[in-house]
Amino acid sequence: MKKKEVEAAYQSMGIDPRVLDYCNKIEEELKDRFIRIDSNAEYNQLKVLKAMQDNRLSDVHFAATTGYGYNDIGRDTLEKVYADIFQAEDALVRPQLISGTHALTIALSGNLRPGDEILSPVGKPYDTLEGVIGITPTKGSLAEFGITYSQVDLLPDGSFDWNGIKASIHSKTKLITIQRSKGYASRPTLSVQRIEELIRFIKECKSDVICMVDNCYGEFVDIIEPSQVGADLCVGSLIKNPGGGLAPIGGYIVGKAEYVENASNRLTAPGLGKEVGATLGLNASLFQGLFLAPQVVSGALKGAIYAANIYERLGYPVHPNGSEERFDIIQAVTLNSAEAVIAFCKGIQAAAPVDSYVTPEPWAMPGYQCDVIMAAGAFVQGSSIELSADAPIKPPYTVFFQGGLTWYHAKLGILMSVQQLYEQGIISLP
Ligand SMILES: *Cc1c(COP(=O)(O)O)cnc(C)c1O
């Protein structure tokens, strides 16, 4: 394929040659970083393959079960494969875990009892957990069951408040929740290495405390996972990284066998635990998505880095910045105006395989103080390993975007966003 033909193909998608040229020069400079991302993906691909081979994955594991789902050997094998990949004692990987929030809820409520306290030593957890924990009073929250919560924020420079953490651990402290990804906050995302330091310190303060990591958006970004550096539980969503875009639903909980069992007793019923839960024919997608996940995550990471470098060069604040090492797949770009945010999201939408003809508009989404705009054209509804962007329409007008099942799609999305800003005269190119 000649370069000229690729350029013509971009032009046929509506990308101005000046936009393409500007972005191609930046892409050229990212070669070495992309090679490092590829080598992580290569390692993780082997790790996933090894786990599938060691567990003798076979097409009998793709058969559908119904009803109670007793003896679902596909489900049991999937859980062994997850446990091996995460180097954990056991795993609960289920379509009945309907989201990341649900998986976290099950991990927490299965392992906490009235009178216990949860500590977050990394600041406020992800929005949806506020209701779960009861930080925002909510029916059915852990707070209603007599479970208390305490929080220690990161210091202004993003480091751990060691003294504050030590002072907050006491006899009631049962579980420490550590969110790896910044999510949609402005703090730094934690590397697996920083999580290791934090867990080591916590275990020195109180050895029997359960350290749980909210691993959402972090899986396969590095070549090790938090469960390999002391996390007792690691929890995430299958419509993010480890589902590889093919999982249509699901969540996972991996870690110490006792804690995974406690979670399974809460998900199904005390005494039934992991023994029940039909998979209704979803196993093949969950396996195949996991098989693709290292490659998919590498594409999403390249897209995030590409966007950071382009928008940084255009003069916009980006977080993480263009050269920082990555520990999750989320990119924030501060665009300084509502028009720019809307243009950006239109570009992402226009690049989608599904609903590309739809124009995203800001709307008053329930639970938000201001209008929110969302761009997504996904095969799986709400999947954020697929290319998607969202932004609250308020200063400083920051758009968060993530995903892309292939690097080429992520690239087109970002080119389309730049094209929109360019067409509307919001940016000028040299
Ligand atoms: C997405 C996310 C969650 C919640 O997952 P849902 O599947 O959206 O419920 C929790 N924590 C973090 C850090 C996340 O990114």
Side-chain angles (χ1 to χ4, degrees):
M1 180 69 65
K2 294 194 201 74
K3 194 166 164 254
K4 184 164 111 279
E5 277 143 4
V6 181
E7 283 172 5
Y10 276 116
Q11 216 167 326
S12 79
M13 305 289 285
I15 305 295
D16 190 294
R18 271 161 295 185
V19 169
L20 187 63
D21 187 53
Y22 182 80
C23 295
N24 275 347
K25 288 198 178 110
I26 292 172
E27 184 184 339
E28 194 62 31
E29 296 165 22
L30 297 173
K31 268 202 172 125
D32 288 346
R33 281 192 85 186
F34 283 12
I35 288 171
R36 290 202 298 279
I37 289 171
D38 286 337
S39 92
N40 275 6
E42 186 175 7
Y43 181 91
N44 285 329
Q45 182 71 77
L46 296 177
K47 179 161 74 173
V48 169
L49 271 168
K50 179 96 172 45
M52 291 182 172
Q53 294 177 0
D54 286 351
N55 287 287
R56 302 175 63 90
L57 180 62
S58 159
D59 62 2
V60 300
H61 297 126
F62 305 149
T65 56
T66 56
Y68 294 123
Y70 288 125
N71 305 313
D72 185 326
I73 55 171
R75 177 194 70 207
D76 296 347
T77 301
L78 180 67
E79 292 180 338
K80 286 187 186 133
V81 167
Y82 262 79
D84 285 358
I85 290 168
F86 284 85
Q87 288 187 22
E89 288 175 12
D90 204 355
L92 186 67
V93 187
R94 300 291 169 113
Q96 288 84 9
L97 289 168
I98 60 108
S99 66
T101 303
H102 186 213
L104 287 158
T105 302
I106 293 295
L108 289 168
S109 53
N111 283 287
L112 292 160
R113 298 293 179 269
D116 289 342
E117 182 157 291
I118 310 170
L119 168 67
S120 170
V122 297
K124 190 177 84 61
Y126 196 75
D127 278 5
T128 55
L129 288 181
E130 291 192 24
V132 173
I133 293 169
I135 301 169
T136 317
T138 306
K139 287 272 175 255
S141 69
L142 293 168
E144 284 198 343
F145 289 88
I147 293 154
T148 54
Y149 170 74
S150 89
Q151 177 179 316
V152 177
D153 290 338
L154 295 175
L155 295 174
D157 68 353
S159 63
F160 297 123
D161 178 1
W162 300 114
N163 293 330
I165 294 169
K166 191 167 188 180
S168 300
I169 297 177
H170 47 79
S171 62
K172 285 174 56 177
T173 311
K174 176 72 179 292
L175 184 146
I176 312 275
T177 180
I178 302 166
Q179 186 179 307
R180 176 175 175 178
S181 168
K182 66 184 175 302
Y184 304 114
S186 55
R187 67 148 169 105
T189 286
L190 303 177
S191 64
V192 176
Q193 196 194 328
R194 286 193 69 197
I195 292 173
E196 179 175 18
E197 289 164 21
L198 180 58
I199 292 175
R200 197 184 306 131
F201 178 81
I202 288 163
K203 296 269 177 178
E204 276 166 19
C205 297
K206 191 170 192 249
S207 62
D208 64 347
V209 81
I210 302 170
C211 290
M212 181 189 85
V213 173
D214 173 353
N215 208 25
C216 283
Y217 285 131
E219 302 89 351
F220 299 125
V221 171
D222 202 339
I223 59 168
I224 52 168
E225 299 294 339
S227 42
Q228 294 170 255
V229 298
D232 300 304
L233 285 169
C234 257
V235 182
S237 163
L238 301 194
I239 62 166
K240 293 179 180 172
N241 304 13
L246 293 188
I249 190 170
Y252 75 89
I253 298 169
V254 299
K256 293 255 166 68
E258 179 192 350
Y259 305 141
V260 171
E261 190 191 357
N262 287 342
S264 75
N265 274 349
R266 178 56 57 213
L267 175 66
T268 63
L272 300 183
K274 291 182 70 186
E275 302 300 315
V276 291
T279 49
L280 310 168
L282 293 175
N283 284 338
S285 304
L286 303 191
F287 278 115
Q288 196 177 357
L290 177 64
F291 169 73
L292 291 176
Q295 170 75 16
V296 169
V297 170
S298 76
L301 267 177
K302 287 177 188 174
I305 292 168
Y306 180 66
N309 280 275
I310 289 169
Y311 280 95
E312 189 167 65
R313 208 72 61 88
L314 288 168
Y316 295 104
V318 293
H319 180 56
N321 71 30
S323 55
E324 267 172 81
E325 209 188 325
R326 300 280 159 157
F327 309 113
D328 67 13
I329 63 167
I330 302 176
Q331 182 64 48
V333 181
T334 296
L335 289 163
N336 307 327
S337 77
E339 298 72 62
V341 162
I342 295 166
F344 183 101
C345 289
K346 282 188 173 154
I348 297 292
Q349 188 75 40
V354 180
D355 291 338
S356 62
Y357 55 86
V358 164
T359 306
E361 303 280 357
W363 62 298
M365 206 178 132
Y368 288 81
Q369 316 294 351
C370 61
D371 282 4
V372 175
I373 186 165
M374 294 186 168
F379 293 100
V380 172
Q381 196 191 99
S383 165
S384 47
I385 188 62
E386 298 189 51
L387 191 63
S388 48
D390 34 87
I393 305 292
K394 64 171 187 199
Y397 300 104
T398 299
V399 64
F400 295 91
F401 94 99
Q402 63 275 314
L405 294 185
T406 72
W407 148 239
Y408 305 112
H409 178 221
K411 175 176 172 176
L412 179 67
I414 293 143
L415 285 168
M416 289 274 204
S417 74
V418 176
Q419 177 71 31
Q420 282 287 334
L421 289 157
Y422 180 64
E423 276 175 20
Q424 294 188 28
I426 299 168
I427 54 168
S428 54
L429 297 174

